[in-house]
Amino acid sequence: MRLTILTPTYNRGGVLPQLYDSLKKQTCKDFEWVIVDDGSKDNTQEVVKAWLSDSDFSIQYFFKENGGKHTALNYAVKKIESELTFIVDSDDTLTTDAVETVLRYHKRYEDEKNICGYAFLRAYPDGSVNGKEFVPNERVASYTEARVNSDDTMADKAEVFKTSCLKEFPFPEYQGERFLGEDIVWVRMARKYMMVHINKAIYIGNYQDDGLTKNRRLNNIKSPVGCMNRAKEFMGSEFKKKYRVKAALQYIIYGKFADVSVAEILKNTPDRTLTLVCLIPGLILQKSWKRKFCSNH
């Protein structure tokens, strides 16, 4: 088995069948589907169990205590033995040729030691592309260069990683926090590895009203230590100035949500000068966000 489709899920028993149907329609069945149930309280387990004996591809189902998507990914990656891992959310679907396309490109690049994986396009259900296309097509570059410094940070793409690289760069886990932006790992990985960026949509993304994407800021506020550390990653000199300034503001904001003193914020920053410049605006923004997002929670 060369490819694992990895789906972390939480209370998505009602939408998982759409993903399952798209996997049944794959033109290539050289994959397994690993589902990590992050403590669901709905009928997810019953839904999946009905498929285990009736599928023409391998399905593995694991249940764990709720800890957040990033902890579910860590849990699964430790168990995966295939060469590639494709993280696909439970409320999304794949095009019928997704697996075939991934394996075709992997055959072309699998011997390149400096490549950690492949980034394909995501589309919305209406067929429009999420974010920008890559310039040029099949661009070999780091996540930082191809995505962040190319001003495509607000878009989602379909990333397929070498499993060995995900094992090398696990998601950091912070006690009591259930949310963490995955790009904290992507930028760490980008300091060592390149990715191949391909202008073909293989992933159809649906954004649920109660999903992580639509509720990102409130989720961040509830998990401030991880978000503070994520911000520190984006303050590196390899990023454009505007992203470093944004990261410095976030570092201050989430630091205060985590009850870190100003003295400690300044002591632990990777860029003291930038943090000092952003300190007052950051403190003002934190108070504004607290009034806006925390008054009813």
Side-chain angles (χ1 to χ4, degrees), residues 148 153-154 183 216-217 220 227 230-232 234-235 239-254 274 278 282 285 289:
V148 183
T153 57
M154 301 305 292
D183 53 2
R216 181 175 296 275
R217 183 157 292 172
N220 284 345
C227 293
R230 174 195 171 274
K232 288 172 71 174
F234 280 82
M235 291 171 70
F239 295 100
K240 283 184 176 179
K241 185 177 181 180
K242 64 179 179 179
Y243 295 116
R244 295 177 60 231
V245 170
K246 180 180 178 180
L249 290 169
Q250 291 175 335
Y251 171 69
I252 296 160
I253 291 167
Y254 294 121
L274 180 60
C278 294
L285 279 171
W289 288 13

Side-chain angles (χ1 to χ4, degrees), residues 86-131:
F86 186 4
I87 301 169
V88 180
D89 290 342
S90 53
D91 51 354
D92 297 332
T93 60
L94 297 181
T95 62
T96 57
D97 63 347
V99 172
E100 180 183 349
T101 300
V102 168
L103 294 180
R104 182 171 70 249
Y105 278 98
H106 181 54
K107 186 176 181 180
R108 188 179 304 175
Y109 290 97
E110 62 183 322
D111 294 329
E112 301 293 331
K113 303 300 183 185
N114 68 327
I115 288 175
C116 64
Y118 312 93
F120 297 88
L121 299 178
R122 288 197 197 195
Y124 294 107
D126 65 3
S128 60
V129 171
N130 186 332

Side-chain angles (χ1 to χ4, degrees), residues 70 74 77-78 165-173 180 184-185 188-189:
H70 62 298
N74 282 344
V77 167
K78 292 175 183 176
C165 294
L166 289 175
K167 291 179 186 291
E168 183 181 353
F169 290 91
F171 294 91
E173 299 183 17
L180 182 70
I184 187 174
V185 166
R188 289 176 178 179
M189 206 180 287

Side-chain angles (χ1 to χ4, degrees), residues 2-15:
R2 307 201 78 187
L3 174 66
T4 295
I5 294 172
L6 169 56
T7 300
T9 187
Y10 177 69
N11 289 345
R12 287 287 183 264
V15 296

Side-chain angles (χ1 to χ4, degrees), residues 35-41 45 61-65 75:
I35 303 166
V36 180
D37 187 338
D38 191 40
S40 292
K41 296 177 175 64
Q45 188 168 356
Y61 172 80
F62 301 100
F63 185 92
K64 64 178 285 294
E65 182 180 350
Y75 179 94

